[in-house]
Amino acid sequence: MKERISVLFIERGEIDVIDGAFVVLDASGIRTQIPVGGVACIMLEPGTRLSHRAAALAARVGTLLVWVGEAGVRLYASGQPGGARSDRLLYQAKLALDENLRLKVVRKMYALRFGEEPPARRSIEQLRGIEGARVRRSYQLLARQYGVEWKARDYDAQEWDTADLPNRCLSAATSCLYGVTEAAVLAAGYAPAVGFIHTGKPLSFVYDVADVYKFETVVPVAFKIAASNPVGNPERAVRLACRDMFRQTKLLDRIIPDIEEMLAAGEIPRPEAPVDSVGPALPNLESLGDAGHRA
């Protein structure tokens, strides 16, 4: 996972497998090959058509496909390459179902996010309130730093064009972060829906994990793009900036080890994988010793 490109967006093209390659065919007939096995997440925007063979190849190599709306801000559906493994899922569920264990994990998430231990003897609801206040303050500080007029985090996914520029940039940026985070969660064998801070949503655990990185990665990028007041398509400018930032910060190196650290805070042993469990889509086998060969 850590060696992959973080995210690609594809729009207005037919995706198929031709001569064994994952190919996008545009309206003029031009073919563009996509190194599908080297991408963590592919966002499919309106105007794309995906063949059965292409979907099967993406699942086989462990690349997450996400069907999104215009500018990548509405999530319609997503694939699940590999999916949750029973040993990891049971471990995650045990931590989430026990309130004491869950609180330990939540406290670790806050410690990783804010760089300090949260206040002692606080419930999860109280920690949510503290987190909400800090988030609102962080938005205000970043808006002031980049010279952006900021009112509040407010947008309607069904009425996208009614949101102001900073909110549109933030939504585009967080959609990129959620995509690569979901890909990492699935690659690690955990369930996106079994969250600790967020609950009751299909991507609760994805939101939990992504929030650890949000204000050090995509939120500053969104405010920087909003401050430049780009002409035409600000969401595309945000996506390109996020892609570059993911590469520069080596985010994909960090997500899976950090997930393991968060869950280890529950202080219960992780069960051993069954002998017949399904391994990763791209096993990290011993290198051939040649820099030109992938392990």
Side-chain angles (χ1 to χ4, degrees):
M1 176 61 69
K2 66 183 180 183
E3 295 177 351
R4 295 189 178 204
I5 300 168
S6 56
V7 61
L8 287 179
F9 283 79
I10 300 175
E11 63 177 349
R12 299 182 181 89
E14 295 191 11
I15 305 170
D16 203 350
V17 176
I18 301 176
D19 297 329
F22 196 88
V23 173
V24 181
L25 186 69
D26 67 15
S28 60
I30 297 176
R31 296 180 181 179
T32 303
Q33 290 191 8
I34 303 295
V36 64
V39 183
C41 176
I42 296 179
M43 301 281 201
L44 305 176
E45 292 192 83
T48 56
R49 305 173 92 180
L50 182 76
S51 74
H52 182 279
R53 289 192 300 173
L57 177 59
R60 194 177 308 124
V61 300
T63 297
L64 178 67
L65 298 177
V66 183
W67 283 260
V68 295
E70 196 73 32
V73 295
R74 303 178 186 88
L75 170 65
Y76 296 129
S78 63
Q80 196 169 359
R85 274 179 34 176
S86 61
D87 55 318
R88 302 291 177 88
L89 176 56
L90 292 172
Y91 171 61
Q92 180 185 6
K94 184 174 182 179
L95 290 167
L97 290 170
D98 185 301
E99 286 301 313
N100 291 326
L101 302 180
R102 180 183 167 203
L103 180 58
K104 290 180 180 180
V105 174
V106 169
R107 289 181 62 83
K108 186 62 176 181
M109 289 177 171
Y110 278 107
L112 289 174
R113 181 174 186 180
F114 297 116
E116 62 185 33
E117 290 295 324
R121 295 186 296 277
R122 297 294 194 278
S123 68
I124 292 176
E125 289 299 326
Q126 289 172 323
L127 290 176
R128 279 180 182 153
I130 295 170
E131 182 260 357
R134 294 187 69 159
V135 165
R136 288 189 291 272
R137 180 61 177 163
S138 295
Y139 282 136
Q140 294 167 358
L141 291 174
L142 284 167
R144 190 179 308 159
Q145 176 183 341
Y146 288 99
V148 173
E149 182 181 355
W150 178 253
K151 299 174 183 177
R153 185 74 173 107
D154 183 27
Y155 72 98
D156 183 351
Q158 304 306 318
E159 299 289 340
W160 176 243
D161 292 332
T162 62
D164 59 23
L165 179 60
N167 273 289
R168 288 167 60 192
C169 289
L170 280 167
S171 294
T174 54
S175 73
C176 293
L177 178 60
Y178 293 153
V180 297
T181 303
E182 183 180 4
V185 166
L186 289 168
Y190 294 108
V194 182
F196 295 82
I197 300 171
H198 297 83
T199 57
K201 298 178 180 178
L203 298 180
S204 291
F205 191 49
V206 172
Y207 301 148
D208 284 352
V209 176
D211 279 354
V212 171
Y213 313 106
K214 185 181 293 184
F215 278 90
E216 67 171 281
T217 56
V218 297
V219 174
V221 167
F223 277 107
K224 182 178 181 180
I225 298 299
S228 69
N229 197 21
V231 178
N233 189 342
E235 292 87 359
R236 183 175 185 275
V238 168
R239 295 201 304 260
L240 293 175
C242 286
R243 183 193 61 193
D244 293 341
M245 180 272 305
F246 291 152
R247 183 176 64 250
Q248 292 163 5
T249 60
K250 301 185 186 304
L251 180 63
L252 287 176
D253 283 17
R254 301 166 51 193
I255 296 178
I256 293 178
D258 284 350
I259 290 173
E260 302 296 353
E261 184 178 353
M262 294 173 207
L263 299 182
E267 300 177 337
I268 62 171
R270 190 174 69 188
E272 294 294 329
V275 293
D276 57 348
S277 63
V278 177
L282 292 176
N284 188 23
L285 302 177
E286 184 178 353
S287 173
L288 296 175
D290 185 341
H293 288 82
R294 289 177 59 91

